[in-house]
Amino acid sequence: MDTVMEGEALEMADETTSSPTEQHAGSNGYEVVHSKSPVFYDIYERKSELKHQTHYCPGCGHGVAHKLIAEAIEDLGLQDKTIFVSPVGCSVFAYYYFDVGNVQVAHGRAPAAATGLKRACPEKLVLAYQGDGDLAAIGTAEIIHAANRGEKITVFFVNNAIYGMTGGQMAPTTLVGQKSTTSPWGRRPANEGFPLHMSELLSTLEAPVYIERVALSDNKNIMRARRAIRKALENQRDNLGFSFVEILSPCPTIWGKDPVDARRWVAEQMIPSFPLNVFRDRKLELPPDSAPPQRPVSEVLEIRKEGVRGLSAPHPHGFEQLAIKLAGFGGQGVLLLGQLLAEMGMREGLEVSWLPSYGPEMRSGSAHCHVCLSTQRIGSPLVSRPQVLVAMSEIALRKFAPQVAPEGLILYSGDKLPEDLALPTANVISVPASRIADKLGSAKATNIVMLGAMLAETNCLTRESALKVLEAKVKDCALLEIDRLALAAGWEFVNHQAYAGAVAQADGFAY
Amino acid sequence: MRRLCKGNVAVIKGAILAGCRAFYGYPITPASEITEAAALYLPQVGGTFLQAESEVAAINMVYGAAAAGVRVMSASSGPGLSLMQEGISYLAGAELPCVIVDVMRGGPGLGNIAPEQSDYFATVKGGGHGNYRNFVLAPASVQEMAELTMLAFELADKYRNPAIVLADGFVGQMMESLDLEFREAIVPEKPWSVKGTPETRQNLVSSIYLEPDDLEQHQRRMEAKYIRAQQSETLFEQYETDDAELLLVGFGIVSRVLRSAVEQARKQGWKVGLFRPITLWPYPSKELASIVAGAESVLVVELSNGQMLEDVQLAVGSNKPVAFYGRVGGNVPSVEEILEQIEKQMSVRV
Ligand SMILES: Cc1ncc(C[n+]2csc(CCOP(=O)(O)OP(=O)(O)O)c2C)c(N)n1
Ligand code: SF4
C-alpha cells in the first residue's frame, strides 16, 4: 500500500458520467450531479478509517472506472446478481465500495477464480477487474485461456502503464521510454521489450464476443467508456460470451502529474501507443455440442445395489496368500492379464491387489505387474518374492526369475528356455503360447493361453470364473471366442503336453 | 458391491458420493487418472470438469468455486502441488473449504514418477506462505482413496479449511476391490458464500486483514479451530501393538509393507507392532505416545529422508530410541528389507 493516498469520493462525479436517471438537463444537456450509485455502499465500513472517502488518489482512473461500472450495474438492475472479483493492485479494495457479492483473489488469477465462480453460478453476473500488472504480467496465462474458452464473464482491464500499488515499477504496458522505478532510464525495448497490447492479442482468439479499448482521457472518451462497460455487462446478462474492456486510465500519483495533466497524458501519450478501437463485436458461432448424457450417480459410479454374483460353490483355495508377478513387454497384455486374475479373485471372494509398473518404464517397452490373492487383508501389494512368475519375454524371465520363491513356479511364454539361464529351485514350464495363439487366429490371445496354463498348473482360481470375467470384459464376440479357445488350449497344454512341475534342467528343457 | 478399481479412480468415485460437483485440474503422472475420471464422470452427474491451463489456474478456479459454496477439488503430484501452494494459502486465509489430492512422486525438481513420500513437509507443515494448516489424510488402499476423499470433504466444510489427501504413486496406480454404498450426500449450508443472490450480496470472501490487530485476531481464530481439530479429528490404526517391543511407524503404502513385515516377524517370534497414522495433520501424537509407552524402541520407515520422523520424535520424546529407515528416488522397500531392519533393531536392543 505504498502509494495509497487521500482518496477522492466516488461521488466526485464527472459531469458526463452520472447515470441518466440522475441527470438534470441543463443548457449543455448535462449538469454536475453529486449523488452516488446505490451499487456503492453509503459508508465504507470495510475500511478501517476515513470511511467516507475512497482510498484512491485524487484523479485516479480507478474511481471513474468504478463509478461507470456501478452505474451500469444499477441501470441494468443486476446488483443482486453480481459477483465482483477484485485483483491485487490499487483496486484490491474494490470490495470496500461495491455493494455486491465480493471475492478478492490472488495476484493475476481473477480470470481463473471468475471461471470457478461463473461455472458454479452460470446465471449470475461475474466480473473480473484487473490492473495491467495483474492481467498482463503475472496473470497473462489466465486471461488468455479464460478468453480462449469463451468464459461467459466480463473483464475490465485498467491499463495505467505502471504498477500503482507497489509504488511505480514498470508494467508490461509501460510506454517505450517511460521511466519507472524499475526502468530508471526509461523503458528500453532492447532490454524489456515493447508494451504489450492485450486487446489486440486477445482479438486473435476465436471465442471472445466483445473487445474494446477505451480511455478515461476526456469527457467524450469517458462517454465511450461508459457505453463499452454497459455493453460488456449486457453481453453477460444475455449469455453471449466473453467480453473485455481495456480502460486506459490515469495514475496521477505515480506519473507525478496533477489530475488534469494526467488525463492529458492519457490522451497524448497513451492513446497513440494504445489506439482506441472496437476490436471485436460479434456473435459467437459454436460447432454442434456433444453434451454428455445425464445419468443417476449410482449408475455412473457403477454402485448399483446388487453385488457381482460369485460362484455358487466357493472354490477351495489352496493358499492363504498367493503372490504373483507377471512380466513382459508393452502390448502383450501383461497388465491386463494381472487385472483378469485380480478380478477373478475378487469374484471368488478373495482379497486382491494389482500393482502395475507405470509411466516411462512402459514406454521403454517393458511392463510388469504384481498381483496378490489372499484370504486375508493384504499387507504389501508389492511382490518381491513371487510364488508364481509369468514371464512373457526372455528379458522378463532373466530379470525376475531370480526373485521367485523356493518351490515357486515359473511359467515362461516361449518354446524353450534360454540355455545359459541359471534358474532357482523353482518349477518351470515353457508354454509356446504365442504359437498356440497364432494358430487360434490372434496373437493377442497369447496372454490368455498363459492364463489357461497357469490355472491348470496352480488351480489357484477356477476356469469358470476366468470365463465369466472374460465374458464381462471382452466385448468383441470374435475375440471372445478366440480367448475361450486360448484359455482351453493353455489348460490342455499343461495338462497333457508339458512335463508339469518339471524342474529346469541345465539344457533348459522344460517340456 | 465390490468392484475392482484403481486408486486414482476411487478418489473421484468417493468425491462424487460426497457431493463434489466441480473439478479443476492439470494432468501429471501418477495422478492423471484422477483428472481423467473426473472428466468422464462429473459431467454425467451435472458437475463441472475443466482442464485448466496450469495448476496455478486450477487452484484459483477451485478458489472461485469454493467461494460460491460448491464442493470442489483438484488433484496433482509434486511439481503441480508446488505451483498450487500460493493458492492453497489463499484458500486457507479466506477459509474456503476444498479438497486437493497429491499423488506423490519422486522429487525434487522433475525427479521421477515413482512413489515417494517427500511432500510431507509441503503439505503437513504448510508449503505456502503464512500461518495455516491443511488437513492431511494418508490413504493406504483403494478403498481408503475413496473413503478418505469423502472424509476430506467433510472436514474441509466443517472447519472451512483446505484438506489434502496425500497418496503416493503406488496407492494411486494400484487396483483393489472397492466397496461403495450409494447414499445421498449431505452438503452443509454455506451462508458465508458468494452466489450472486440477494441473501449473499453482503458477503465478502477475502484473505485480507489490513490492520495488524485484525490479522492477528483472524489468525487466533484459525488457530483455535486448528486446536479443536487436533483434539477431535486424529485417526490412526494399530496392529499387534499390545505386547510390541519394537514399534514400527509408517503411513500410506509403507504401512502396507510394514504390516506384512510385522506378520512375518511375529512368525519368527519377534515382538513387533505397527502404528499407522491416517491423519498426518492433525497428527495422532497423543495416541502414538500412549502406544509407544509399552514399547522399547521405535523404527520409522518412510519414502523420504525423514520428514514424518520429526513428528514421531516429538510425540515419543527423548527417553526412547527412534530409529529411521528411508528409501527415496522411487524405491519402495521390500518386506525382506524391512525384516533386516527389524532384526538389526532387535539385536541392538539385546
Ligand atoms: C505473487 C505476488 N507477487 C507480487 C505481488 C506484489 N504486487 C501487488 S500489486 C502489484 C502490481 C499491481 O499493478 P497493477 O496490476 O498494474 O495495478 P495498479 O496498482 O496499477 O492498479 C504487485 C507486483 C503480489 N501481491 N503477489
Ligand atoms: S492507480 Fe495510481 S492514482 Fe490510482 S490509487 Fe493507485 S497510485 Fe493512486
Side-chain angles (χ1 to χ4, degrees), chain A residues 3 55-62 90 160 162 164-165 250-254:
Chain A
T3 61
H55 71 287
Y56 294 116
C57 313
C60 173
H62 281 303
C90 279
N160 57 16
I162 201 81
M165 185 185 220
C251 171
T253 303
I254 303 284

Side-chain angles (χ1 to χ4, degrees), chain B residues 78-237:
Chain B
L81 179 83
S82 295
L83 283 185
M84 288 186 185
Q85 292 286 21
E86 184 204 26
I88 297 174
S89 166
Y90 270 76
L91 282 151
E95 296 192 276
L96 290 177
C98 70
V99 171
I100 300 139
V101 182
D102 176 15
V103 184
M104 288 182 284
R105 56 187 249 171
L110 202 54
N112 65 26
I113 58 166
E116 261 192 10
Q117 296 178 323
S118 46
D119 297 348
Y120 186 95
F121 283 157
T123 51
V124 174
K125 304 291 175 186
H129 56 287
N131 280 314
Y132 73 96
R133 291 292 196 173
N134 303 304
F135 284 96
V136 184
L137 310 176
S141 67
V142 170
Q143 183 73 22
E144 286 185 353
M145 284 292 259
E147 286 177 0
L148 292 186
T149 301
M150 295 167 79
L151 177 63
F153 277 104
E154 272 167 41
L155 291 172
D157 275 343
K158 185 171 167 189
Y159 290 89
R160 286 187 60 184
N161 200 77
I164 294 176
V165 175
L166 191 65
D168 63 75
F170 275 177
V171 177
Q173 292 295 321
M174 68 190 225
M175 288 178 104
E176 289 183 316
S177 70
L178 174 67
D179 197 352
L180 291 176
E181 229 178 76
F182 179 73
R183 57 177 168 80
E184 290 296 337
I186 304 159
V187 181
E189 284 296 313
K190 299 178 182 177
W192 47 263
S193 61
V194 175
K195 295 180 202 282
T197 58
E199 303 75 51
T200 63
R201 198 178 96 193
Q202 300 304 319
N203 289 349
L204 165 65
V205 168
S206 165
S207 57
I208 304 178
Y209 293 83
L210 206 55
E211 296 301 318
D213 285 345
D214 292 344
L215 184 56
E216 186 168 48
Q217 198 187 2
H218 172 58
Q219 290 194 33
R220 293 280 182 253
R221 252 187 338 97
M222 287 174 68
E223 225 173 285
K225 83 181 175 187
Y226 293 144
I227 290 169
R228 262 190 293 131
Q230 277 169 321
Q231 284 161 350
S232 48
E233 308 295 354
T234 51
L235 289 172
F236 68 99
E237 193 184 17

Side-chain angles (χ1 to χ4, degrees), chain A residues 348-430:
Chain A
E348 291 189 23
L350 293 168
E351 295 295 324
V352 299
S353 66
W354 171 88
L355 178 67
S357 55
Y358 59 87
E361 195 182 344
M362 286 164 70
R363 243 161 274 151
S364 74
S366 82
H368 70 263
C369 62
H370 313 235
V371 174
C372 293
L373 307 172
S374 177
T375 55
Q376 272 137 46
R377 178 171 161 177
I378 294 169
S380 176
L382 266 98
V383 174
S384 45
R385 300 290 277 158
Q387 291 152 281
V388 179
L389 169 67
V390 178
M392 304 278 288
S393 72
E394 191 182 321
I395 296 171
L397 179 70
R398 287 183 187 278
K399 183 166 175 192
F400 294 113
Q403 296 180 357
V404 175
E407 313 303 323
L409 170 69
I410 298 173
L411 284 159
Y412 173 55
S413 169
D415 289 351
K416 199 167 174 295
L417 288 172
E419 293 183 2
D420 61 334
L421 189 67
L423 287 170
T425 60
N427 298 340
V428 186
I429 302 175
S430 282

Side-chain angles (χ1 to χ4, degrees), chain A residues 130-183:
Chain A
Q130 301 182 261
D132 43 50
D134 197 81
L135 182 141
I138 197 167
T140 319
E142 283 77 10
I143 188 61
I144 287 179
H145 285 275
N148 192 50
R149 287 190 302 269
E151 294 296 339
K152 295 190 170 90
I153 59 173
T154 304
V155 178
F156 297 118
F157 169 40
V158 177
N159 176 358
N160 57 16
I162 201 81
Y163 283 13
M165 185 185 220
T166 42
Q169 298 83 7
M170 192 192 75
T173 50
T174 293
L175 304 183
V176 172
Q178 185 186 339
K179 284 186 178 166
S180 76
T181 57
T182 51
S183 55

Side-chain angles (χ1 to χ4, degrees), chain B residues 283-297:
Chain B
Y283 199 80
S285 307
K286 264 188 260 147
E287 295 87 342
L288 173 57
S290 82
I291 287 166
V292 88
E296 284 164 39
S297 63

